[in-house]
Coordinates of all heavy atoms in Angstrom, one line a residue:
M1473 N -15.9 3.8 -25.7 CA -16.5 4.5 -24.7 C -16.9 3.6 -23.5 O -17.1 4.1 -22.4 CB -17.7 5.2 -25.2 CG -17.4 6.4 -26.0 SD -16.4 7.5 -25.1 CE -17.2 9.0 -25.0
R1474 N -17.1 2.3 -23.7 CA -17.5 1.5 -22.6 C -16.4 1.2 -21.7 O -16.5 0.8 -20.5 CB -18.1 0.1 -23.2 CG -19.3 0.3 -23.9 CD -19.8 -1.0 -24.4 NE -21.0 -0.8 -25.2 CZ -21.6 -1.8 -25.9 NH1 -21.1 -2.9 -25.8 NH2 -22.6 -1.6 -26.6
I1475 N -15.1 1.3 -22.2 CA -14.0 1.0 -21.4 C -13.8 2.1 -20.3 O -13.3 1.8 -19.2 CB -12.7 0.9 -22.3 CG1 -12.9 -0.3 -23.2 CG2 -11.5 0.8 -21.5 CD1 -11.8 -0.4 -24.2
L1476 N -14.0 3.4 -20.6 CA -13.8 4.4 -19.6 C -14.5 4.2 -18.3 O -13.9 4.4 -17.2 CB -14.1 5.8 -20.2 CG -13.7 7.0 -19.4 CD1 -12.2 7.0 -19.1 CD2 -14.2 8.3 -20.2
P1477 N -15.8 4.0 -18.3 CA -16.5 3.8 -17.0 C -16.0 2.5 -16.3 O -15.9 2.5 -15.1 CB -18.0 3.6 -17.5 CG -18.1 4.2 -18.8 CD -16.8 4.1 -19.4
A1478 N -15.6 1.5 -17.0 CA -15.2 0.3 -16.4 C -13.8 0.6 -15.7 O -13.5 0.2 -14.5 CB -15.0 -0.8 -17.4
V1479 N -12.9 1.3 -16.3 CA -11.7 1.7 -15.8 C -11.9 2.6 -14.5 O -11.2 2.4 -13.5 CB -10.8 2.4 -16.8 CG1 -9.5 3.0 -16.1 CG2 -10.3 1.4 -17.9
A1480 N -12.8 3.6 -14.6 CA -13.1 4.4 -13.5 C -13.6 3.6 -12.3 O -13.2 3.9 -11.1 CB -14.1 5.5 -13.9
L1481 N -14.5 2.6 -12.5 CA -15.0 1.8 -11.5 C -13.9 1.0 -10.8 O -13.8 0.9 -9.6 CB -16.1 1.0 -12.0 CG -16.8 0.1 -11.0 CD1 -17.5 0.9 -9.9 CD2 -17.8 -0.8 -11.7
L1482 N -13.0 0.4 -11.6 CA -11.9 -0.4 -11.1 C -11.0 0.5 -10.3 O -10.5 0.0 -9.2 CB -11.1 -0.9 -12.3 CG -9.9 -1.8 -11.9 CD1 -10.3 -3.0 -11.1 CD2 -9.1 -2.2 -13.2
L1483 N -10.7 1.7 -10.6 CA -9.8 2.6 -9.8 C -10.5 2.9 -8.5 O -9.8 3.0 -7.5 CB -9.6 3.9 -10.6 CG -8.5 3.7 -11.8 CD1 -8.4 5.0 -12.6 CD2 -7.2 3.3 -11.3
L1484 N -11.9 3.2 -8.5 CA -12.5 3.4 -7.3 C -12.4 2.3 -6.3 O -12.3 2.4 -5.1 CB -14.0 3.9 -7.5 CG -14.2 5.2 -8.1 CD1 -15.7 5.5 -8.5 CD2 -13.7 6.3 -7.1
C1485 N -12.6 1.1 -6.8 CA -12.5 -0.1 -6.0 C -11.1 -0.3 -5.4 O -10.9 -0.6 -4.2 CB -12.9 -1.3 -6.8 SG -14.6 -1.4 -7.3
C1486 N -10.1 0.0 -6.2 CA -8.7 -0.1 -5.7 C -8.4 0.9 -4.6 O -7.6 0.6 -3.7 CB -7.8 0.0 -6.8 SG -7.7 -1.5 -8.0
C1487 N -8.9 2.1 -4.8 CA -8.7 3.1 -3.7 C -9.3 2.7 -2.4 O -8.8 2.9 -1.4 CB -9.3 4.4 -4.2 SG -8.4 5.2 -5.6
G1488 N -10.5 2.0 -2.4 CA -11.1 1.5 -1.2 C -10.2 0.4 -0.6 O -10.1 0.4 0.6
C1489 N -9.6 -0.4 -1.3 CA -8.7 -1.4 -0.7 C -7.5 -0.9 -0.2 O -7.0 -1.3 0.8 CB -8.3 -2.5 -1.9 SG -9.7 -3.4 -2.5
R1490 N -7.0 0.2 -0.7 CA -5.8 0.8 -0.2 C -6.0 1.4 1.1 O -5.2 1.4 2.0 CB -5.3 2.0 -1.2 CG -4.3 2.9 -0.8 CD -2.9 2.1 -0.8 NE -1.9 3.1 -0.5 CZ -1.2 3.2 0.7 NH1 -1.6 2.4 1.7 NH2 -0.3 4.1 0.8
Q1491 N -7.2 1.9 1.4 CA -7.5 2.6 2.7 C -7.7 1.5 3.8 O -7.4 1.8 4.9 CB -8.8 3.3 2.5 CG -8.8 4.5 1.6 CD -8.1 5.7 2.2 OE1 -8.0 5.8 3.4 NE2 -7.6 6.6 1.4
A1492 N -8.1 0.3 3.4 CA -8.4 -0.7 4.4 C -7.1 -1.5 4.8 O -7.1 -2.1 5.8 CB -9.5 -1.7 3.9
A1493 N -6.1 -1.5 4.0 CA -4.9 -2.3 4.3 C -4.2 -1.7 5.5 O -4.0 -0.5 5.6 CB -4.0 -2.3 3.1
R1494 N -3.8 -2.6 6.4 CA -3.1 -2.1 7.7 C -2.3 -3.2 8.2 O -2.6 -4.4 7.9 CB -4.2 -1.8 8.6 CG -3.7 -1.0 9.9 CD -3.9 0.5 9.7 NE -3.1 1.1 10.7 CZ -3.5 1.9 11.7 NH1 -4.8 2.2 11.7 NH2 -2.8 2.3 12.6
S1495 N -1.3 -3.0 8.9 CA -0.4 -4.1 9.4 C -0.9 -4.5 10.8 O -1.9 -4.0 11.3 CB 1.0 -3.5 9.6 OG 1.0 -2.5 10.5
N1496 N -0.2 -5.4 11.4 CA -0.6 -5.9 12.8 C -0.4 -4.8 13.8 O 0.2 -3.8 13.5 CB 0.4 -7.0 13.2 CG 0.1 -8.3 12.5 OD1 -1.0 -8.5 12.0 ND2 1.1 -9.1 12.4
G1497 N -1.1 -4.9 14.9 CA -1.0 -4.0 15.9 C -2.4 -3.5 16.3 O -3.4 -4.1 16.1
G1498 N -2.5 -2.3 17.0 CA -3.8 -1.8 17.3 C -4.3 -0.9 16.2 O -3.7 -0.1 15.7
F1499 N -5.6 -1.1 15.9 CA -6.2 -0.3 14.9 C -7.0 0.8 15.6 O -7.5 1.6 15.0 CB -7.3 -1.2 14.1 CG -6.5 -2.2 13.3 CD1 -7.1 -3.4 13.1 CD2 -5.3 -1.9 12.7 CE1 -6.5 -4.4 12.3 CE2 -4.7 -3.0 11.9 CZ -5.3 -4.1 11.7
A1500 N -7.1 0.8 16.9 CA -7.8 1.9 17.6 C -6.8 2.5 18.6 O -6.0 1.9 19.2 CB -8.9 1.4 18.4
D1501 N -6.7 3.9 18.6 CA -5.9 4.6 19.6 C -6.6 4.7 20.9 O -7.3 5.7 21.1 CB -5.5 6.0 19.0 CG -4.6 5.9 17.8 OD1 -3.8 5.0 17.8 OD2 -4.6 6.8 17.0
V1502 N -6.4 3.6 21.6 CA -7.1 3.6 22.9 C -6.1 3.7 24.0 O -5.1 2.9 24.0 CB -7.9 2.2 23.0 CG1 -8.5 2.1 24.4 CG2 -8.9 2.1 22.0
K1503 N -6.3 4.6 25.0 CA -5.4 4.7 26.1 C -6.1 4.2 27.4 O -5.8 4.7 28.5 CB -5.0 6.1 26.2 CG -4.2 6.6 25.1 CD -3.8 8.1 25.2 CE -3.0 8.5 24.0 NZ -2.7 9.9 24.1
S1504 N -7.0 3.3 27.3 CA -7.7 2.8 28.4 C -6.9 1.8 29.2 O -6.6 0.8 28.7 CB -9.0 2.1 28.0 OG -9.7 1.5 29.0
P1505 N -6.7 2.1 30.5 CA -5.9 1.2 31.4 C -6.8 -0.1 31.7 O -6.2 -1.1 32.1 CB -5.7 1.9 32.6 CG -6.5 3.2 32.6 CD -6.9 3.4 31.1
D1506 N -8.1 0.0 31.5 CA -9.0 -1.1 31.8 C -8.7 -2.2 30.8 O -8.7 -3.4 31.1 CB -10.5 -0.7 31.7 CG -10.8 0.2 32.8 OD1 -10.1 0.2 33.8 OD2 -11.8 0.9 32.6
L1507 N -8.4 -1.9 29.4 CA -8.1 -2.9 28.5 C -6.8 -3.6 28.7 O -6.6 -4.8 28.6 CB -8.1 -2.2 27.1 CG -9.5 -1.9 26.6 CD1 -9.3 -1.1 25.2 CD2 -10.4 -3.0 26.3
V1508 N -5.8 -2.8 29.2 CA -4.5 -3.4 29.5 C -4.6 -4.2 30.8 O -4.1 -5.4 30.7 CB -3.5 -2.2 29.7 CG1 -2.1 -2.8 30.2 CG2 -3.3 -1.5 28.4
E1509 N -5.4 -3.8 31.7 CA -5.5 -4.6 32.9 C -6.2 -5.9 32.6 O -5.9 -7.0 33.1 CB -6.3 -3.8 34.0 CG -6.3 -4.5 35.3 CD -6.9 -3.6 36.4 OE1 -6.7 -2.4 36.4 OE2 -7.7 -4.2 37.3
D1510 N -7.2 -5.8 31.8 CA -7.9 -7.1 31.3 C -7.0 -8.1 30.6 O -7.1 -9.3 30.9 CB -9.2 -6.7 30.5 CG -10.1 -7.9 30.2 OD1 -10.3 -8.7 31.1 OD2 -10.5 -8.1 29.0
A1511 N -6.2 -7.5 29.7 CA -5.3 -8.4 29.0 C -4.2 -9.0 30.0 O -3.9 -10.2 29.9 CB -4.5 -7.6 27.9
I1512 N -3.8 -8.2 30.9 CA -2.8 -8.7 31.9 C -3.4 -9.9 32.8 O -2.9 -10.9 33.1 CB -2.3 -7.6 32.8 CG1 -1.5 -6.6 32.0 CG2 -1.5 -8.1 34.0 CD1 -0.2 -7.3 31.5
T1513 N -4.7 -9.7 33.2 CA -5.4 -10.6 34.0 C -5.5 -12.0 33.2 O -5.3 -13.0 33.8 CB -6.8 -10.1 34.4 OG1 -6.7 -8.9 35.1 CG2 -7.5 -11.1 35.3
T1514 N -5.8 -11.9 32.0 CA -5.9 -13.1 31.1 C -4.6 -13.7 31.0 O -4.4 -15.0 31.0 CB -6.5 -12.7 29.7 OG1 -7.7 -12.1 29.8 CG2 -6.6 -13.9 28.8
M1515 N -3.5 -12.9 30.8 CA -2.2 -13.5 30.6 C -1.7 -14.2 32.0 O -1.1 -15.3 31.9 CB -1.1 -12.4 30.2 CG -1.3 -11.8 28.9 SD -1.0 -13.1 27.6 CE 0.7 -13.3 27.7
L1516 N -2.1 -13.6 33.1 CA -1.7 -14.1 34.4 C -2.3 -15.5 34.6 O -1.8 -16.4 35.2 CB -2.0 -13.2 35.5 CG -1.0 -11.9 35.6 CD1 -1.6 -11.0 36.6 CD2 0.3 -12.4 36.0
S1517 N -3.6 -15.6 34.2 CA -4.3 -16.9 34.4 C -3.8 -17.9 33.3 O -3.9 -19.2 33.6 CB -5.8 -16.7 34.2 OG -6.1 -16.4 32.8
A1518 N -3.2 -17.6 32.2 CA -2.8 -18.6 31.2 C -1.3 -18.9 31.3 O -1.0 -20.0 31.0 CB -3.2 -18.1 29.9
Y1519 N -0.5 -18.0 31.6 CA 1.0 -18.1 31.6 C 1.6 -17.6 32.9 O 1.3 -16.5 33.3 CB 1.6 -17.4 30.4 CG 1.0 -17.8 29.0 CD1 0.1 -17.0 28.4 CD2 1.4 -18.9 28.5 CE1 -0.5 -17.4 27.2 CE2 0.9 -19.3 27.3 CZ -0.1 -18.5 26.6 OH -0.6 -18.9 25.4
P1520 N 2.4 -18.4 33.5 CA 3.0 -18.0 34.8 C 4.1 -16.9 34.6 O 4.9 -17.1 33.7 CB 3.6 -19.3 35.4 CG 3.9 -20.1 34.2 CD 2.8 -19.8 33.2
P1521 N 4.1 -15.8 35.3 CA 5.1 -14.8 35.2 C 6.4 -15.4 35.8 O 6.4 -16.3 36.5 CB 4.6 -13.6 36.0 CG 3.5 -14.2 36.9 CD 3.0 -15.4 36.2
A1522 N 7.5 -14.7 35.4 CA 8.8 -15.1 35.8 C 9.3 -16.5 35.2 O 10.4 -16.9 35.3 CB 9.0 -15.2 37.3
R1523 N 8.4 -17.1 34.5 CA 8.7 -18.4 33.8 C 8.4 -18.2 32.3 O 8.7 -19.2 31.5 CB 8.0 -19.6 34.3 CG 8.4 -19.9 35.7 CD 7.8 -21.2 36.2 NE 8.2 -21.5 37.5 CZ 7.7 -22.5 38.2 NH1 6.8 -23.2 37.7 NH2 8.2 -22.7 39.4
T1524 N 7.8 -17.2 31.9 CA 7.3 -17.1 30.5 C 8.1 -15.9 29.9 O 8.2 -14.8 30.4 CB 5.8 -16.8 30.5 OG1 5.1 -17.8 31.2 CG2 5.3 -16.7 29.1
R1525 N 8.7 -16.2 28.7 CA 9.3 -15.2 27.9 C 8.4 -14.9 26.7 O 8.1 -15.9 26.0 CB 10.7 -15.6 27.5 CG 11.6 -15.9 28.7 CD 12.9 -16.3 28.3 NE 13.6 -15.1 27.6 CZ 14.9 -15.0 27.4 NH1 15.7 -16.0 27.7 NH2 15.4 -13.9 26.9
L1526 N 8.1 -13.7 26.4 CA 7.3 -13.4 25.3 C 8.1 -12.6 24.2 O 9.0 -11.8 24.6 CB 6.1 -12.4 25.7 CG 5.2 -13.1 26.8 CD1 4.2 -11.9 27.3 CD2 4.4 -14.2 26.2
A1527 N 7.9 -13.0 23.0 CA 8.6 -12.3 21.9 C 7.5 -11.6 21.0 O 6.7 -12.3 20.3 CB 9.3 -13.3 21.1
L1528 N 7.5 -10.3 20.9 CA 6.5 -9.6 20.1 C 6.8 -9.8 18.6 O 8.0 -9.8 18.2 CB 6.5 -8.1 20.4 CG 5.7 -7.7 21.7 CD1 6.1 -6.3 22.0 CD2 4.3 -7.8 21.4
L1529 N 5.8 -10.1 17.8 CA 5.9 -10.3 16.4 C 5.8 -9.0 15.5 O 5.9 -9.1 14.3 CB 4.9 -11.3 15.9 CG 5.1 -12.7 16.6 CD1 4.0 -13.7 16.1 CD2 6.5 -13.3 16.3
H1530 N 5.5 -7.9 16.2 CA 5.3 -6.6 15.5 C 5.6 -5.5 16.5 O 5.7 -5.7 17.7 CB 3.9 -6.5 15.0 CG 2.9 -6.6 16.0 ND1 2.5 -5.5 16.8 CD2 2.1 -7.7 16.3 CE1 1.5 -5.9 17.6 NE2 1.3 -7.2 17.4
P1531 N 5.9 -4.3 16.0 CA 6.3 -3.2 16.9 C 5.1 -2.9 17.8 O 3.9 -2.8 17.3 CB 6.6 -2.0 15.9 CG 6.8 -2.6 14.6 CD 6.1 -4.0 14.6
A1532 N 5.3 -2.6 19.0 CA 4.2 -2.1 19.9 C 4.3 -0.6 20.1 O 4.6 -0.1 21.2 CB 4.4 -2.9 21.2
D1533 N 4.1 0.1 19.0 CA 4.3 1.5 19.0 C 3.0 2.3 19.2 O 3.0 3.5 19.1 CB 5.0 2.0 17.7 CG 4.3 1.5 16.5 OD1 3.3 0.9 16.6 OD2 4.9 1.8 15.4
D1534 N 1.9 1.6 19.4 CA 0.7 2.3 19.7 C 0.5 2.4 21.2 O 1.3 1.8 22.0 CB -0.6 1.6 19.1 CG -0.6 0.2 19.5 OD1 0.4 -0.6 19.4 OD2 -1.7 -0.2 20.0
A1535 N -0.5 3.2 21.7 CA -0.7 3.4 23.1 C -1.0 2.1 23.9 O -0.5 1.9 25.0 CB -1.9 4.4 23.3
F1536 N -1.9 1.3 23.3 CA -2.2 0.0 24.0 C -0.9 -0.9 24.1 O -0.7 -1.5 25.1 CB -3.3 -0.7 23.2 CG -3.6 -2.1 23.8 CD1 -4.4 -2.2 24.9 CD2 -3.1 -3.2 23.2 CE1 -4.7 -3.5 25.5 CE2 -3.4 -4.5 23.7 CZ -4.2 -4.5 24.9
G1537 N -0.2 -1.0 23.0 CA 1.0 -1.8 23.0 C 2.0 -1.4 24.0 O 2.6 -2.2 24.7
A1538 N 2.2 -0.1 24.1 CA 3.2 0.4 25.0 C 2.7 0.2 26.5 O 3.5 -0.3 27.3 CB 3.4 1.9 24.8
G1539 N 1.5 0.4 26.7 CA 1.0 0.1 28.1 C 1.0 -1.4 28.4 O 1.3 -1.8 29.5
L1540 N 0.7 -2.2 27.4 CA 0.7 -3.6 27.7 C 2.1 -4.2 27.9 O 2.3 -4.9 28.8 CB 0.1 -4.4 26.5 CG 0.0 -5.9 26.5 CD1 -0.9 -6.3 27.7 CD2 -0.5 -6.4 25.2
T1541 N 3.1 -3.7 27.1 CA 4.5 -4.1 27.3 C 5.0 -3.7 28.7 O 5.6 -4.5 29.4 CB 5.3 -3.6 26.2 OG1 4.8 -3.9 24.9 CG2 6.7 -4.0 26.3
E1542 N 4.6 -2.5 29.1 CA 5.1 -2.0 30.4 C 4.4 -2.8 31.5 O 5.1 -3.2 32.5 CB 4.7 -0.5 30.5 CG 5.2 0.1 31.8 CD 4.8 1.5 31.9 OE1 4.8 2.2 30.9 OE2 4.5 2.0 33.0
A1543 N 3.1 -3.1 31.4 CA 2.4 -3.8 32.4 C 2.9 -5.3 32.5 O 3.0 -5.9 33.6 CB 0.9 -3.8 32.1
L1544 N 3.2 -6.0 31.3 CA 3.7 -7.3 31.3 C 5.1 -7.4 32.0 O 5.3 -8.2 32.9 CB 3.9 -7.7 29.9 CG 2.6 -8.2 29.1 CD1 2.9 -8.4 27.7 CD2 2.0 -9.4 29.8
R1545 N 5.9 -6.4 31.7 CA 7.2 -6.4 32.5 C 7.0 -6.1 33.9 O 7.8 -6.6 34.7 CB 8.1 -5.4 31.8 CG 8.6 -5.8 30.5 CD 9.6 -4.8 29.9 NE 10.1 -5.3 28.6 CZ 10.3 -4.6 27.5 NH1 10.0 -3.3 27.6 NH2 10.8 -5.1 26.4
G1546 N 6.1 -5.3 34.3 CA 5.9 -4.9 35.7 C 5.4 -6.2 36.5 O 5.5 -6.2 37.7
N1547 N 4.7 -7.1 35.8 CA 4.1 -8.2 36.4 C 5.1 -9.4 36.3 O 4.7 -10.6 36.7 CB 2.8 -8.6 35.8 CG 1.7 -7.8 36.4 OD1 1.4 -7.9 37.5 ND2 1.2 -6.8 35.6
G1548 N 6.3 -9.3 35.8 CA 7.3 -10.3 35.9 C 7.5 -11.1 34.6 O 8.2 -12.1 34.6
Y1549 N 6.9 -10.6 33.5 CA 7.2 -11.3 32.2 C 8.4 -10.7 31.5 O 8.7 -9.5 31.7 CB 6.0 -11.1 31.3 CG 4.7 -11.9 31.7 CD1 3.8 -11.2 32.4 CD2 4.6 -13.2 31.3 CE1 2.6 -12.0 32.8 CE2 3.5 -14.0 31.8 CZ 2.5 -13.3 32.5 OH 1.4 -13.9 32.8
A1550 N 9.2 -11.5 30.9 CA 10.3 -11.0 30.0 C 9.6 -10.9 28.6 O 9.1 -11.8 28.0 CB 11.4 -12.1 30.0
V1551 N 9.8 -9.6 28.1 CA 9.2 -9.3 26.8 C 10.4 -8.9 25.9 O 11.0 -7.9 26.1 CB 8.2 -8.1 27.0 CG1 7.6 -7.8 25.6 CG2 7.1 -8.5 27.9
A1552 N 10.5 -9.6 24.8 CA 11.5 -9.2 23.7 C 10.8 -8.3 22.7 O 9.8 -8.7 22.2 CB 12.0 -10.5 23.1
E1553 N 11.3 -7.1 22.5 CA 10.8 -6.2 21.5 C 11.0 -6.8 20.1 O 11.8 -7.6 19.9 CB 11.5 -4.9 21.6 CG 11.4 -4.2 23.0 CD 10.0 -3.5 23.2 OE1 9.4 -3.1 22.2 OE2 9.6 -3.4 24.3
Y1554 N 10.1 -6.4 19.2 CA 10.2 -6.7 17.8 C 11.4 -6.1 17.3 O 11.7 -4.9 17.4 CB 8.9 -6.3 17.1 CG 9.0 -6.5 15.6 CD1 8.9 -7.8 15.1 CD2 9.3 -5.4 14.8 CE1 9.0 -8.0 13.7 CE2 9.4 -5.6 13.4 CZ 9.3 -6.9 12.9 OH 9.3 -7.1 11.5
A1555 N 12.2 -6.8 16.5 CA 13.3 -6.3 15.7 C 13.2 -6.8 14.3 O 13.1 -8.0 14.0 CB 14.7 -6.9 16.3
A1556 N 13.0 -5.8 13.3 CA 12.9 -6.1 12.0 C 14.2 -6.8 11.5 O 15.3 -6.4 11.9 CB 12.7 -4.8 11.2
P1557 N 14.0 -7.8 10.6 CA 15.2 -8.5 10.1 C 16.0 -7.5 9.3 O 15.6 -6.6 8.7 CB 14.6 -9.6 9.2 CG 13.2 -9.3 9.2 CD 12.8 -8.3 10.1
A1558 N 17.4 -7.7 9.3 CA 18.3 -6.9 8.6 C 18.1 -7.0 7.0 O 18.3 -6.0 6.4 CB 19.7 -7.3 8.9
R1559 N 17.6 -8.1 6.6 CA 17.3 -8.2 5.1 C 16.0 -8.9 5.0 O 15.5 -9.5 6.0 CB 18.4 -9.0 4.4 CG 18.6 -10.4 4.9 CD 19.7 -11.2 4.3 NE 19.9 -12.5 4.8 CZ 19.4 -13.5 4.5 NH1 18.5 -13.5 3.4 NH2 19.6 -14.7 5.0
A1560 N 15.4 -8.8 3.8 CA 14.1 -9.3 3.7 C 14.2 -10.8 3.5 O 14.8 -11.4 2.5 CB 13.4 -8.8 2.4
I1561 N 13.7 -11.6 4.5 CA 13.7 -13.0 4.4 C 12.3 -13.5 4.7 O 11.5 -12.8 5.3 CB 14.7 -13.7 5.5 CG1 14.4 -13.2 6.9 CG2 16.1 -13.4 5.1 CD1 15.2 -13.7 7.9
S1562 N 12.0 -14.7 4.2 CA 10.7 -15.3 4.5 C 10.6 -15.7 5.9 O 11.5 -16.0 6.6 CB 10.4 -16.4 3.5 OG 11.2 -17.5 3.9
R1563 N 9.3 -15.8 6.4 CA 9.1 -16.2 7.8 C 9.7 -17.6 8.1 O 10.1 -17.9 9.2 CB 7.6 -16.2 8.1 CG 7.2 -16.7 9.4 CD 6.6 -15.5 10.2 NE 6.0 -16.1 11.4 CZ 6.6 -15.9 12.5 NH1 7.7 -15.2 12.7 NH2 6.0 -16.4 13.6
T1564 N 9.7 -18.5 7.1 CA 10.3 -19.8 7.4 C 11.8 -19.8 7.4 O 12.3 -20.7 8.1 CB 9.8 -20.7 6.2 OG1 10.3 -20.2 5.0 CG2 8.3 -20.9 6.2
D1565 N 12.4 -18.8 6.8 CA 13.9 -18.7 6.9 C 14.4 -18.0 8.1 O 15.6 -18.1 8.5 CB 14.4 -18.0 5.7 CG 14.2 -18.8 4.4 OD1 14.0 -20.1 4.5 OD2 14.3 -18.2 3.4
A1566 N 13.5 -17.3 8.8 CA 13.9 -16.5 9.9 C 14.2 -17.4 11.2 O 13.6 -18.4 11.3 CB 12.8 -15.5 10.3
P1567 N 15.2 -16.9 12.0 CA 15.4 -17.7 13.2 C 14.2 -17.6 14.1 O 13.6 -16.6 14.1 CB 16.7 -17.1 13.8 CG 16.7 -15.7 13.2 CD 16.0 -15.8 11.9
P1568 N 14.0 -18.7 14.9 CA 12.8 -18.6 15.8 C 13.0 -17.6 16.9 O 14.1 -17.3 17.3 CB 12.8 -20.0 16.4 CG 14.1 -20.5 16.2 CD 14.7 -19.9 15.0
P1569 N 12.0 -16.8 17.3 CA 12.1 -15.8 18.3 C 12.5 -16.4 19.7 O 12.2 -17.6 19.9 CB 10.7 -15.1 18.4 CG 9.8 -16.2 17.8 CD 10.6 -17.0 16.8
D1570 N 13.2 -15.7 20.5 CA 13.5 -16.1 21.8 C 12.3 -16.0 22.8 O 12.3 -14.9 23.4 CB 14.8 -15.3 22.3 CG 15.3 -16.0 23.5 OD1 15.1 -17.2 23.8 OD2 15.9 -15.2 24.3
G1571 N 11.5 -16.9 22.8 CA 10.3 -16.9 23.7 C 9.0 -17.2 23.0 O 9.1 -17.6 21.8
L1572 N 8.0 -17.1 23.7 CA 6.7 -17.5 23.1 C 6.2 -16.4 22.2 O 6.2 -15.2 22.6 CB 5.6 -17.6 24.3 CG 4.2 -18.0 24.0 CD1 4.2 -19.4 23.4 CD2 3.4 -17.9 25.3
E1573 N 5.9 -16.7 20.9 CA 5.5 -15.7 20.0 C 4.2 -15.0 20.4 O 3.2 -15.7 20.9 CB 5.3 -16.3 18.6 CG 6.5 -16.8 18.0 CD 6.3 -17.4 16.6 OE1 5.2 -17.7 16.3 OE2 7.3 -17.5 15.9
F1574 N 4.2 -13.7 20.4 CA 3.1 -12.9 21.0 C 2.7 -11.8 20.0 O 3.6 -11.0 19.6 CB 3.6 -12.4 22.3 CG 2.6 -11.5 23.0 CD1 1.3 -12.0 23.5 CD2 2.8 -10.2 23.3 CE1 0.4 -11.2 24.1 CE2 1.9 -9.3 23.9 CZ 0.8 -9.9 24.4
A1575 N 1.5 -11.6 19.7 CA 1.0 -10.5 18.9 C -0.4 -10.2 19.3 O -1.1 -11.0 20.1 CB 0.9 -11.0 17.4
Y1576 N -0.8 -9.0 19.0 CA -2.2 -8.6 19.4 C -2.8 -7.7 18.3 O -2.1 -7.1 17.5 CB -2.1 -7.7 20.7 CG -1.4 -6.4 20.5 CD1 -2.0 -5.3 20.1 CD2 0.0 -6.4 20.8 CE1 -1.3 -4.1 20.0 CE2 0.7 -5.3 20.6 CZ 0.0 -4.1 20.3 OH 0.8 -2.9 20.2
I1577 N -4.1 -7.7 18.3 CA -4.8 -6.8 17.3 C -6.0 -6.2 18.2 O -6.8 -6.9 18.8 CB -5.4 -7.5 16.1 CG1 -4.3 -8.0 15.3 CG2 -6.3 -6.5 15.3 CD1 -4.8 -8.8 14.1
L1578 N -6.0 -4.9 18.3 CA -7.0 -4.2 19.0 C -7.9 -3.4 18.1 O -7.4 -2.5 17.5 CB -6.4 -3.3 20.1 CG -7.3 -2.5 21.0 CD1 -8.1 -3.4 21.8 CD2 -6.5 -1.5 21.8
D1579 N -9.1 -3.9 17.9 CA -9.9 -3.2 16.9 C -11.1 -2.6 17.5 O -11.8 -3.3 18.2 CB -10.4 -4.3 15.8 CG -11.0 -3.7 14.6 OD1 -11.2 -2.5 14.6 OD2 -11.5 -4.5 13.9

């Protein structure tokens, strides 16, 4: 009888972990152009456009990522979209991306 409550508690804890797991990218569905403009201003001060190639490390399929990618290209950056490897390989075996590795997390 002592095992049943312990198993139930363990299952509840695992369900909470399942909800929290998420991949890279934006965790908030934000369509604010102010955030994109702030990110572009920071990028412009750190990396010169027309000389910097960026390679996204994850899909930019959220609203912020799409706006950021479009704004980066509009300001003269070359942005390589994320392409999933054809087969499952480890990060150390993968060929290096063509450009400066670039990822974001918007929380």
